[in-house]
Amino acid sequence: MSDERPGAKPDGAGRTGEAAGTDRTGNADTTGTADTIGTAAPDTYLTVDAVWNGHRFLGETTFRTDGERLHPVDHVPAHARARHHRLPGTLFPRLTDHHTHLGLTDQHAMFAGGITHAIDLGWIPAVAAGWLTDDLSRPSVAIVGSLITCVGGYPVNAGWGPPGSSTEVGGEREARLAVRANVMLGASRIKVTLNTDAGETVDDRVLHSVVAESHAQGVPVTVHVQGAGQTARALAAGADQLAHTPFTERLDDDLISESVRRGMSWVSTLDIHGWGDPTKEHAIASDNLGRFARAGGRVLYGTDLGNGPLAVGVNARELRGMLDAGLPPVTVVKSIAGLRRPDDDRVPTIGPRVAWVPTPPPSDATTAGGTTALAGTDLDPTALPDWLATARGLTVAALLTASTDPTDATAATPEPR
């Protein structure tokens, strides 16, 4: 979390019907038993204007629901036409904020604002572990547990993290134990801080120990880099991700190329630098991010939610900042809605959470019905941020409820954030 504005954080903010044939992935159209969470009638079908498959937008798509998930199908059987609903708009299997501090924000408001998945990058491990329960009224959560730092290092004295949200280590053995402790409490990644602007940091031996132990435990490492030379240190240690786009120094092209070659990802977090009134740090980060993306680097949407007056939900300013940095529109969408699945024109199964935007993707291109893909160059970059910021997080059951009266559902569309 950037500390260039200390004290700026606000207050915490079993289906019973007949089989429907073959689904659009080519698999037998079968389901298990739906649980009791918002179970819909068996053989209920839903058609939407568009769906994102992790790589591109596809056109009009029909799904069958088992009450919890949406399964793509080619057609609606005659016996089920009375239970076929239409809903305008676009579905996303997920929208992820890759940098949040959930102890400083309202998780239910995040979900209502379109974020279906959230990565918490630092809090009290025992508290954060409680967020791993599958509460469908808020985002699905992944955690790092506590931030690993040196004795007295950032963010111990920064003011935003409560006692226990950081683990201070004095050597390699303590670093390894800190990693293990976080993993045992549910951490699926580890975070270490390198912030020389705030004082001392762990030395290179400790840093390498954190990375080595994390990888031995099967989890990646994300690093807060702040200060001259810290990105190079993180890269040399084998870190997997930067929690922020570097904002205190302009990186040379060779360092950026090496970051890309090693497969490092960067989390954007541009909007924290001025919250709509861009600062010098914003300009540095924007330049670094643009060159990283053009070199082929993997960019992930993240806001550092909890750090100042940021939108609780999909942040249009963050998206606009990424576009202004030179990222193509489709790359920006992939940064928040990418999926680990083959790059093809098939529709994935979706649920139990889903993000819904009440209108089709903003594009100058006219597409035919069916699974016609919208090329990334067809997306309107001017309209994209505000359009995506109208997303809402819903369960599949709630989506079906909305589809019974799409006029009312569309009227309740939130304003862009």
Side-chain angles (χ1 to χ4, degrees):
M1 178 173 296
S2 169
D3 65 348
E4 72 242 37
R5 300 194 188 285
K9 299 178 184 62
D11 290 339
R15 131 181 177 103
T16 60
E18 301 173 9
T22 302
D23 69 17
R24 294 182 57 178
T25 63
N27 298 319
D29 186 8
T30 59
T31 60
T33 301
D35 64 19
T36 58
I37 301 175
T39 303
D43 283 355
T44 301
Y45 292 80
L46 176 69
T47 297
V48 296
D49 292 331
V51 62
W52 171 261
N53 77 345
H55 301 280
R56 60 185 55 80
F57 290 105
L58 305 176
E60 184 178 276
T61 302
T62 299
F63 296 90
R64 177 186 52 77
T65 180
D66 58 12
E68 186 177 18
R69 299 184 187 276
L70 297 172
H71 306 271
V73 295
D74 290 318
H75 67 281
V76 179
H79 75 270
R81 287 174 185 167
R83 295 186 298 276
H84 179 201
H85 306 290
R86 290 183 177 271
L87 184 67
T90 306
L91 292 184
F92 290 87
R94 64 169 62 196
L95 294 177
T96 304
D97 191 329
H98 294 86
H99 190 148
T100 69
H101 292 277
L102 298 179
L104 298 174
T105 193
D106 183 339
Q107 297 181 43
H108 297 91
M110 283 181 66
F111 186 56
I115 297 298
T116 63
H117 292 68
I119 314 300
D120 181 80
L121 289 190
W123 204 249
I124 304 167
V127 175
W131 301 331
L132 299 176
T133 57
D134 196 23
D135 178 352
L136 293 179
S137 69
R138 56 178 177 76
S140 175
V141 174
I143 65 172
V144 301
S146 61
L147 297 90
I148 298 177
T149 187
C150 69
V151 176
Y154 177 84
V156 173
N157 298 310
W160 62 263
S165 58
S166 295
T167 299
E168 302 170 71
V169 299
E172 297 174 69
R173 181 175 182 276
E174 289 183 2
R176 292 192 294 269
L177 291 174
V179 170
R180 294 173 197 165
N182 279 322
V183 171
M184 288 173 64
L185 283 172
S188 57
R189 61 216 69 203
I190 295 296
K191 183 176 179 182
V192 60
T193 67
L194 300 177
N195 183 351
T196 54
D197 284 358
E200 296 295 322
T201 73
V202 296
D203 62 29
D204 286 342
R205 290 186 306 171
V206 172
L207 176 60
H208 281 260
S209 292
V210 169
V211 174
E213 184 62 34
S214 299
H215 290 171
Q217 296 290 332
V219 298
V221 177
T222 185
V223 186
H224 173 119
V225 294
Q226 186 170 347
Q230 301 314 299
T231 298
R233 290 184 63 202
L235 184 63
D240 305 279
Q241 182 181 94
L242 299 186
H244 300 276
T245 299
F247 57 90
T248 53
E249 61 173 342
R250 187 183 190 276
L251 305 184
D252 64 52
D253 291 340
D254 288 343
L255 183 57
I256 286 179
S257 295
E258 184 64 12
S259 298
V260 174
R261 189 188 71 79
R262 294 197 183 189
M264 176 181 272
S265 62
W266 290 8
V267 183
S268 57
T269 67
L270 298 175
D271 193 34
I272 56 170
H273 308 299
W275 307 304
D277 184 15
T279 63
K280 176 182 70 174
E281 290 79 11
H282 188 288
I284 294 171
S286 179
D287 173 66
N288 285 330
L289 188 67
R291 291 186 294 124
F292 178 72
R294 288 191 293 275
R298 183 176 179 224
V299 179
L300 300 173
Y301 166 95
T303 64
D304 199 4
L305 187 59
N307 182 2
L310 297 167
V312 182
V314 178
N315 185 332
R317 290 198 308 252
E318 187 70 38
L319 296 168
R320 192 169 293 112
M322 297 166 74
L323 291 165
D324 290 345
L327 277 67
V330 72
T331 301
V332 173
V333 179
K334 286 180 179 180
S335 76
I336 188 172
L339 299 174
R340 296 281 190 177
R341 64 176 306 277
D343 186 354
D344 55 31
D345 289 334
R346 295 186 177 184
V347 182
T349 293
I350 302 175
R353 296 171 181 83
V354 60
W356 172 60
V357 177
T359 54
S363 173
D364 294 331
T366 300
T367 61
T371 56
T372 301
L374 295 177
T377 54
D378 294 333
L379 291 171
D380 181 355
T382 302
L384 181 62
D386 286 341
W387 174 78
L388 196 49
T390 64
R392 285 202 255 160
L394 297 168
T395 62
V396 166
L399 187 72
L400 290 170
T401 298
S403 72
T404 62
D405 193 346
T407 300
D408 286 349
T410 305
T413 301
E415 292 296 320
R417 294 163 296 277

